[in-house]
Amino acid sequence: MKNIGSYPNTRLRRNRKKEWSRRLVQENTLSPNDLIWPIFVCEGKNIKERIKTMPGVYRHSVDRLEKLIENALNKKIPMIALFPNTPSSKKDAKGSEALNKNNIICKALRLIKKNYKEIGIMCDVALDPYTNHGHDGIIKDNYVDNDKTVKILIKQSLLQAEMGCDVIAPSDMMDGRIGEIRKALDKNGHELVQILSYAVKYASNFYGPFRDAVGSKKKLKGDKKNYQMDFNNSKEALREVALDIKEGADFVMVKPGMPYLDIIKLIKDNFKIPVFAYQVSGEYSLIRNGINNKTINEDAILESLISFKRAGANAIITYFAEEIARKLR
Ligand code: PBG
C-alpha cells in the first residue's frame, strides 16, 4: 500500500473523533436485508418449546408459524429457513419421513405459502432430521452411500418445491447432488426454484445445539467426517464451489461462520456468485451465554454479524436475525 502518509501529518484518529465523521467513513453496514432467520418446527398444537442448549430459541408447532412470519415481514427479513424436529417414532434408517407429504416441513410450507407470498422460504435438503442414526444420508457398509442418497435427496427436493419452497438448500455434502437436483427441478416445471448449496460445509464441532434442536444429537453414531469438509483445509473449498456453480447453484453457503471468515473472503475473491454465511448454533449459544451471564455486551451480536459483511458475505443465516432486525429499525 502506497501513499499512506506518516505521523504527525497523518492522524487516523481525526476521522474517528466525532460520531458523524465515523458514520461518513463507515465501510460496512448491516441491514435486515442481510438476514435469514432459521425456525425450528415441531408437531403438536400451540407449542413453544425451549431448546436447552440454545437459550432464547424455541421449537414452534406449525399453527404458531403465521405469527412468526408476520413478525419477520414487519422487520423486513427477506427469508426464513425451516428445520423440523421429527418425533423419534417417525425416524428410520432411510429417513422415509423426509418423503412424506404430510411431514412437518410440508405442512409448514403449505400453510405459509397459502397466505404469504412475499417472504422467501428455504428448506434444508438432507436426511439427518429423519434418520434413526442421525446421518445425512443412507448407510451401506458403515459408509454414507453417495449415489443412493442423492436419489432420495432429489425426491425430497421435488416434494419441497411442490409444497411451495422457494429455495432448496442441500446441506448434505453428497457429491453431484446440485446438478442432479437442478435437472430434476427443471424437468418438473420448477426451473425458477432457487438452489442454495451448502457448498462449503465443514465437519464442525459447532453444530451440537442444532442437533439437539432437531433431535439428532443422541442418535448420531460417529461423526460426519467422510462427507463434510476437513477443517484443516481451505483450497478444497474452491473446488467445492466451482463444481456447484457448474452444476447450477444460485448461491453458495459457507458454514460455520465466524471461524471461517477466511473461507468467505477466499470464495468472494475467486467467484462472482452470492455467498451466504451460516452463523451456526454453537456460535449462537456461545454468544448468547456470554451475554446472559454478562461476560460480554449485547452489542457483540452486531459486531459478530458485521464480521461477515467485512469478509464479503451477501447474507447471513443467524438465530439472532429477529432480534437484530428489531434493533436495526
Ligand atoms: C443438517 C444440518 C446441520 C446444520 C444445518 N443443517 C447439522 C449437521 O450437519 O450436523 C447445522 C446448523 C447449526 O448448527 O446451526 N444437515
Side-chain angles (χ1 to χ4, degrees), residues 10-233:
T10 301
R11 289 176 183 267
L12 292 178
R13 289 183 58 194
R14 253 185 235 128
N15 285 350
R16 295 178 201 142
K17 186 177 164 202
K18 289 284 169 68
E19 199 258 352
W20 59 261
S21 176
R22 292 195 293 270
R23 273 194 282 139
L24 275 178
V25 300
Q26 199 162 75
E27 296 176 40
N28 293 284
T29 51
L30 187 75
S31 103
N33 297 336
D34 301 316
L35 302 170
I36 300 165
W37 184 21
I39 294 174
F40 294 107
V41 192
C42 64
E43 293 200 333
K45 279 224 162 76
N46 199 21
I47 289 175
K48 181 180 176 185
E49 192 173 51
R50 266 198 189 86
I51 301 160
K52 265 193 229 101
T53 50
M54 295 183 82
V57 177
Y58 301 85
R59 300 183 194 99
H60 303 269
S61 51
V62 174
D63 56 315
R64 294 180 43 87
L65 288 178
E66 286 175 291
K67 238 186 283 182
L68 301 177
I69 300 295
E70 296 276 354
N71 187 355
L73 280 168
N74 281 335
K75 309 235 159 66
K76 301 266 188 294
I77 294 174
M79 180 158 80
I80 61 157
L82 296 176
F83 295 101
N85 176 278
T86 307
S88 251
S89 61
K90 295 190 175 167
K91 296 187 181 186
D92 62 21
K94 291 195 293 192
S96 315
E97 180 67 6
L99 304 183
N100 173 2
K101 63 177 186 301
N102 284 314
N103 71 23
I104 305 171
I105 290 295
C106 291
K107 278 188 197 149
L109 281 168
R110 286 197 295 266
L111 178 89
I112 298 169
K113 279 299 161 183
K114 198 169 69 188
N115 298 318
Y116 304 94
K117 315 272 185 233
E118 55 302 319
I119 190 160
I121 304 186
M122 80 172 241
C123 294
D124 245 41
V125 168
L127 299 181
D128 57 311
Y130 307 102
T131 53
N132 55 15
H133 45 70
H135 281 286
D136 292 35
I138 55 172
I139 294 178
K140 206 181 127 194
D141 303 329
N142 275 323
Y143 185 74
V144 175
D145 187 283
N146 195 87
D147 299 5
K148 284 205 167 73
T149 298
V150 171
K151 290 212 170 73
I152 303 176
L153 300 179
I154 291 171
K155 290 186 188 154
Q156 188 184 16
S157 304
L158 283 175
L159 179 60
Q160 292 179 354
E162 266 158 41
M163 296 295 145
C165 177
D166 300 286
V167 176
I168 299 286
S171 72
D172 54 285
M173 288 298 277
M174 297 302 112
D175 286 325
R177 87 282 203 214
I178 299 300
E180 295 295 315
I181 290 171
R182 183 72 272 164
K183 232 188 321 182
L185 288 173
D186 289 4
K187 220 166 73 192
N188 287 277
H190 301 299
E191 64 277 359
L192 295 182
V193 169
Q194 289 149 284
I195 297 181
L196 166 58
S197 172
Y198 285 73
V200 186
K201 177 170 179 179
Y202 285 91
S204 172
N205 297 293
F206 288 89
Y207 302 149
F210 173 96
R211 291 175 187 168
D212 266 345
V214 301
S216 70
K217 192 169 177 179
K218 289 199 194 103
K219 299 197 178 296
L220 182 62
K221 297 194 179 77
D223 56 45
K224 300 191 177 183
K225 289 182 182 170
N226 67 41
Y227 46 108
Q228 298 179 348
M229 264 184 65
D230 180 348
F231 55 69
N232 294 288
N233 299 350

